[in-house]
Amino acid sequence: RQVYESLLDYRPVVGPGPRFAFARGTERKRTGSYYTPEGLVELVLKEALDPVVEERLREAATPEEKERALLSLRVLDPAAGSGHFLLGAARRLGRRLAQVRTGEEEPPLEAYRQAVRDVVVHCLYAVDRNPLAVELCRVALWMESHAPGKPLAFLDHRVKCGDSLVGVFSPEALAEGVPDGAFEPKEGDAKAVAKGLRWENARERQGERGLFGASWENLQEGEANLAKLVEAFAGLPEDRAQEVMAKVYEELRRKGTLERLRLASDLW
């Protein structure tokens, strides 16, 4: 985390020679990339995660039920940075899972590491706008969940580069078309051009031409099919090599439904 945060204070510069160097930059301020101190991370996890964990365990009777209850938890950090919150969650959940499995207050290291791996594979999700942060988050989770003799966990479908605040959260928005407000002229825009685009957009929304070439029913069907494909992918054995998982995931991403929804969402 410290490496990533320090890099945000600088920008790469290629000079004559060529010579590579770092200069003071504005990336941190421009992107609002400020990170939570360790003490506050622990406090949030203690107050937000621990009560949920204990409630799930109280509702379960047998060790098997307790294990299923823990692995059914879903922890999402919508602005994950380099994964500081998720690492804390992995350790806390992993320790409780190892305690349930072994019945010991201080589980053996091997049992703890396997439990952390299972938590990372089944429970954790992350999003961040910065591609470098996403890569570092994956690396941090790989290091934390590595188990001897097993491949690195595949995390591309769980740790994503994207914007949690701005975007399409339901295909229904695509069926309704681009809001007219998207064509309001801003400072420096050509008002006549913006007005023309707004008028053309209004015509399209009235059905003269199908937006993205899809009806709401088709989008619903596509989303349902996509959900089934992703669920099937998530159920693949985790002992497959990461290269194999990456190839399968890329084939899934290239399927017409997913690519069509992604493109439509980006355009929207």
Side-chain angles (χ1 to χ4, degrees):
R1 187 187 73 157
Q2 285 83 355
V3 172
Y4 171 60
E5 291 184 37
S6 62
L7 284 175
L8 288 175
D9 289 323
Y10 299 89
R11 57 184 177 86
V13 177
V14 178
R19 185 175 65 87
F20 179 80
F22 284 103
R24 297 292 296 186
T26 60
E27 181 74 6
R28 180 190 291 273
K29 182 176 180 181
R30 185 176 62 82
T31 61
S33 301
Y34 296 93
Y35 292 90
T36 313
E38 180 76 30
L40 188 53
V41 170
E42 289 299 312
L43 176 63
V44 171
L45 290 172
K46 178 181 177 181
E47 297 296 327
L49 181 60
D50 287 358
V52 177
V53 170
E54 297 308 318
E55 180 182 357
R56 291 288 184 93
L57 292 177
R58 283 195 300 269
E59 294 174 351
T62 66
E64 292 76 15
E65 290 177 354
K66 292 179 184 292
E67 179 173 337
R68 286 195 296 270
L70 289 174
L71 290 178
S72 68
L73 286 169
R74 297 293 179 263
V75 180
L76 165 68
D77 190 340
S82 53
H84 204 40
F85 270 104
L86 291 178
L87 285 176
R91 292 164 186 157
R92 296 174 96 88
L93 285 173
R95 178 177 174 79
R96 292 298 281 126
L97 180 58
Q99 289 173 340
V100 167
R101 286 174 170 174
T102 64
E104 301 178 23
E105 183 66 25
E106 292 297 333
L109 180 59
E110 183 177 345
Y112 167 74
R113 293 194 68 85
Q114 181 58 51
V116 170
R117 178 184 175 88
D118 290 338
V119 166
V120 169
V121 169
H122 293 97
C123 303
L124 304 186
Y125 297 83
V127 180
D128 200 273
R129 290 184 60 195
N130 191 310
L132 175 60
V134 170
E135 290 300 321
L136 288 175
C137 182
R138 288 174 182 160
V139 170
L141 292 175
W142 282 332
M143 294 175 65
E144 195 69 26
S145 63
H146 177 64
K150 293 190 176 182
L152 295 175
F154 184 77
L155 299 175
D156 287 19
H157 63 312
R158 295 183 178 272
V159 182
K160 304 291 291 182
C161 186
D163 195 321
S164 300
L165 298 179
V166 178
V168 175
F169 296 100
S170 168
E172 186 173 5
L174 301 179
E176 294 173 354
V178 177
D180 289 338
F183 301 96
E184 289 289 341
K186 302 294 188 295
E187 183 178 353
D189 289 345
K191 293 184 178 181
V193 173
K195 182 178 180 180
L197 291 172
R198 183 184 176 96
W199 177 77
E200 183 177 346
N201 183 64
R203 289 178 56 201
E204 291 177 356
R205 293 181 69 202
Q206 292 169 6
E208 290 192 14
R209 181 169 48 173
L211 188 65
F212 307 126
S215 67
W216 168 228
E217 291 75 17
N218 290 338
L219 289 169
Q220 277 186 312
E221 181 181 355
E223 186 187 29
N225 292 335
L226 175 59
K228 292 178 181 178
L229 289 171
V230 173
E231 184 178 358
F233 175 81
L236 291 175
E238 64 172 270
D239 57 354
R240 294 192 180 192
Q242 194 178 46
E243 292 78 10
V244 175
M245 294 290 281
K247 183 177 180 179
V248 175
Y249 185 59
E250 185 60 28
E251 290 176 357
L252 171 64
R253 292 182 64 233
R254 290 178 185 275
K255 286 186 178 293
T257 300
L258 177 56
E259 191 64 18
R260 189 182 189 89
L261 285 171
R262 185 197 63 77
L263 177 60
S265 299
D266 287 346
L267 289 171
W268 188 93

